[in-house]
Amino acid sequence: DAGITQSPRHKVTETGTPVTLRCHQTENHRYMYWYRQDPGHGLRLIHYSYGVKDTDKGEVSDGYSVSRSKTEDFLLTLESATSSQTSVYFCAISGSGLAGERGYNEQFFGPGTRLTVL
Amino acid sequence: QKEVEQNSGPLSVPEGAIASLNCTYSDRGSQSFFWYRQYSGKSPELIMFIYSNGDKEDGRFTAQLNKASQYVSLLIRDSQPSDSATYLCAVTNSGGSNYKLTFGKGTLLTVNP
């Protein structure tokens, strides 16, 4: 499972509230990604990180911010949640970790967080 | 906008048959190609990757790449009911060095016992 955990695994919140999702990895991978997956749209990249404090936007970044203050944690924040942000959120990693054998293009996914915004 | 297209399915095959999943992509500069399997309610799992034109085999799976036609496929031989899942095609974006993938919407495969 590439040592990736996501928390929480499920969350129900109300419109307008802030929400932070956490992705934690234990294998020192350089790259980390946040995706959302919705029926009819597939997996879409929200933000990604290519190192500590180095982040960039993906294709659906509006309404989301991220932070990476240490290698192992990548946080996704919804500043003011909206119903359109109801989705399943996946974190992924790539780049040689402790095992050293994975390529930088090969992404491995965490278990996901199901977020419902009422 | 870089696009990856897959037939949404469902693709239904009998147990023991060959399942053929197809994917086309728009970014001619894409260099790396991936197939993920996703069971319902679970996260995507990387099952194959291919970087060069031709075929790559791993057990019952064969990935085929034709960069000139911008086409990549996945063959599953001796299909099993446990292969029933959604299969996602993903390709790297050309240019830059930040290792981003663009995913297709997936093809639902059902293997009937």
Side-chain angles (χ1 to χ4, degrees), chain B residues 32-44:
Chain B
S32 304
F33 307 86
F34 304 87
W35 284 100
Y36 287 81
R37 177 177 63 200
Q38 186 174 25
Y39 293 113
S40 179
K42 301 296 185 182
S43 59

Side-chain angles (χ1 to χ4, degrees), chain B:
Chain B
Q1 177 74 9
K2 300 178 177 66
E3 295 182 345
V4 177
E5 300 288 340
Q6 297 181 252
N7 189 321
S8 63
L11 173 65
S12 183
V13 300
E15 183 174 356
I18 295 175
S20 178
L21 303 160
N22 304 316
C23 172
T24 59
Y25 58 95
S26 65
D27 184 354
R28 185 168 289 279
S30 295
Q31 295 293 321
S32 304
F33 307 86
F34 304 87
W35 284 100
Y36 287 81
R37 177 177 63 200
Q38 186 174 25
Y39 293 113
S40 179
K42 301 296 185 182
S43 59
E45 172 192 7
L46 180 63
I47 57 172
M48 287 288 286
F49 57 87
I50 185 166
Y51 300 148
S52 303
N53 276 330
D55 294 359
K56 178 182 178 182
E57 187 174 318
D58 184 1
R60 295 186 296 112
F61 298 101
T62 298
Q64 299 175 316
L65 175 61
N66 184 326
K67 289 185 179 179
S69 300
Q70 295 176 241
Y71 176 92
V72 58
S73 65
L74 179 70
L75 301 178
I76 306 175
R77 290 182 300 282
D78 188 23
S79 295
Q80 300 298 310
S82 58
D83 295 326
S84 297
T86 297
Y87 289 80
L88 306 174
C89 173
V91 306
T92 51
N93 299 334
S94 62
S97 60
N98 288 326
Y99 306 104
K100 293 189 290 185
L101 298 180
T102 298
F103 284 82
K105 295 178 182 178
T107 298
L108 176 62
L109 172 67
T110 300
V111 180
N112 301 304

Side-chain angles (χ1 to χ4, degrees), chain A residues 44-98:
Chain A
R44 293 180 292 174
L45 182 65
I46 305 172
H47 281 279
Y48 63 99
S49 169
Y50 45 97
V52 173
K53 298 186 179 178
D54 291 324
T55 65
D56 204 350
K57 296 179 180 180
E59 65 177 297
V60 290
S61 59
D62 287 348
Y64 301 95
S65 62
V66 290
S67 66
R68 191 171 180 197
S69 59
K70 46 187 178 177
T71 299
E72 56 266 36
D73 287 325
F74 192 32
L75 303 180
L76 177 71
T77 297
L78 291 65
E79 301 290 348
S80 178
T82 67
S83 58
S84 65
Q85 294 175 312
T86 292
S87 187
V88 179
Y89 291 85
F90 288 105
C91 174
I93 58 89
S94 71
S96 295
L98 297 176

Side-chain angles (χ1 to χ4, degrees), chain A residues 31-49:
Chain A
Y31 291 84
M32 299 184 76
Y33 310 81
W34 277 108
Y35 291 89
R36 60 178 290 175
Q37 187 173 39
D38 305 287
H41 290 279
L43 276 164
R44 293 180 292 174
L45 182 65
I46 305 172
H47 281 279
Y48 63 99
S49 169

Side-chain angles (χ1 to χ4, degrees), chain A residues 5-13 19-23 34 75-76 87-90 111-116:
Chain A
T5 57
Q6 293 184 233
S7 57
R9 294 293 313 281
H10 301 271
K11 186 172 182 66
V12 180
T13 191
V19 176
T20 295
L21 308 182
R22 180 187 185 225
C23 178
W34 277 108
L75 303 180
L76 177 71
S87 187
V88 179
Y89 291 85
F90 288 105
T113 294
R114 184 172 295 275
L115 176 67
T116 302

